Amino acid sequence: MTTYSEYKQRREKLMAKIGDGTAIFRSAPMAVMHNDVEYAYRQDSDFFYLTGFNEPEAVAVIAPHHEKHKFVLFVQPKDPEKETWTGDRAGVEVAKEKYGADVAFTINELNQNLPQYLKKADKIYYRLGRDRHFDEVVLKHWQNLMRLYQKKGTGPIAIQDAGTILHPMRLVKSATELEQMQKAADIAVDAHNHAMKFAQ
């Protein structure tokens, strides 16, 4: 099982690679089967690789240049009434205590707080083209900062696909990941052997 210390190590490796940049990762949306019935939730692979956080409507910000908040999570707030139907939410406090965020905000506070993690970055690392609505959010903040660039001389001058940095990292498996892959392979072998006995 992947430990939270391993997620932290992954974030630290990413931070070392992006330097004065800021990386933004969006959780996967819920997929609706029909009417109000939803599919079982599957988190975005990049988001989960760095956080271990398995809820929708969340954003992770990695800002190694920030003095205090290098790992920030924006999550859904606790809501007992909604959680009766959708299951427990971690909320802001657990996002810090369990998932290691230096600070956490509700997802409704994203537009208010995201700029402070972008304004001193030299580049934004974000995968455009996967979530049109959130693309517009990121581009709006970037454009606002670019307008101030001439006056302040600081700010992100480009957006780079975060996958160009993160995906080569994901190719190199840790001892824990190799153990999990071997366990999955062993289970698959047992299942195939069991099926072959019936096929005979």
Side-chain angles (χ1 to χ4, degrees):
M1 181 177 178
T2 305
T3 62
Y4 292 105
S5 63
E6 182 156 348
Y7 293 117
K8 183 179 180 180
Q9 290 171 12
R10 294 171 180 174
R11 293 193 297 270
E12 289 173 346
K13 287 181 181 178
L14 178 64
M15 289 182 199
K17 292 180 181 296
I18 67 174
D20 289 329
T22 294
I24 304 173
F25 298 90
R26 171 75 161 164
S27 64
M30 290 295 300
V32 178
M33 188 183 305
H34 55 79
N35 293 332
D36 59 350
V37 179
E38 297 169 337
Y39 286 102
Y41 185 66
R42 185 191 186 283
Q43 185 59 279
D44 175 82
S45 296
D46 289 346
F47 186 95
F48 193 79
Y49 179 81
L50 292 169
T51 68
F53 192 80
N54 199 32
E55 294 181 20
E57 293 298 315
V59 172
V61 176
I62 311 293
H65 54 83
H66 195 276
E67 293 180 1
K68 296 181 179 180
H69 308 152
K70 301 184 185 305
F71 172 42
V72 184
L73 277 175
F74 294 88
V75 301
Q76 295 181 95
K78 295 292 290 180
D79 187 328
E81 184 176 346
K82 290 184 178 178
E83 289 175 64
T84 300
W85 302 99
T86 62
D88 290 339
R89 295 177 180 177
V92 169
E93 292 306 316
V94 173
K96 292 186 290 185
E97 295 169 4
K98 183 176 180 180
Y99 295 94
D102 296 315
V103 67
F105 303 99
T106 66
I107 194 65
N108 297 328
E109 298 174 294
L110 179 76
N111 285 321
Q112 174 186 345
N113 288 286
L114 182 59
Q116 66 178 300
Y117 304 110
L118 301 177
K119 62 185 179 181
K120 291 186 178 179
D122 60 3
K123 187 182 293 185
I124 296 173
Y125 293 87
Y126 171 73
R127 296 202 76 187
L128 289 164
R130 304 178 73 184
D131 183 330
R132 181 177 296 180
H133 172 72
F134 195 67
D135 287 354
E136 292 175 357
V137 172
V138 174
L139 288 170
K140 180 181 177 182
H141 284 292
W142 178 59
Q143 289 166 347
N144 289 339
L145 291 167
M146 284 299 293
R147 292 190 189 100
L148 299 173
Y149 184 82
Q150 295 297 329
K151 295 181 180 179
K152 297 189 175 182
T154 61
I157 59 173
I159 297 178
Q160 180 175 331
D161 188 337
T164 60
I165 304 294
L166 186 62
H167 293 170
M169 287 175 49
R170 290 179 54 192
L171 288 174
V172 181
K173 304 302 182 186
S174 67
T176 300
E177 289 175 302
L178 291 172
E179 182 181 341
Q180 290 174 335
M181 291 169 70
Q182 184 61 60
K183 183 177 181 181
D186 291 342
I187 292 171
V189 168
D190 289 343
H192 278 82
N193 287 337
H194 187 68
M196 286 166 62
K197 291 179 181 178
F198 282 96
Q200 289 177 351

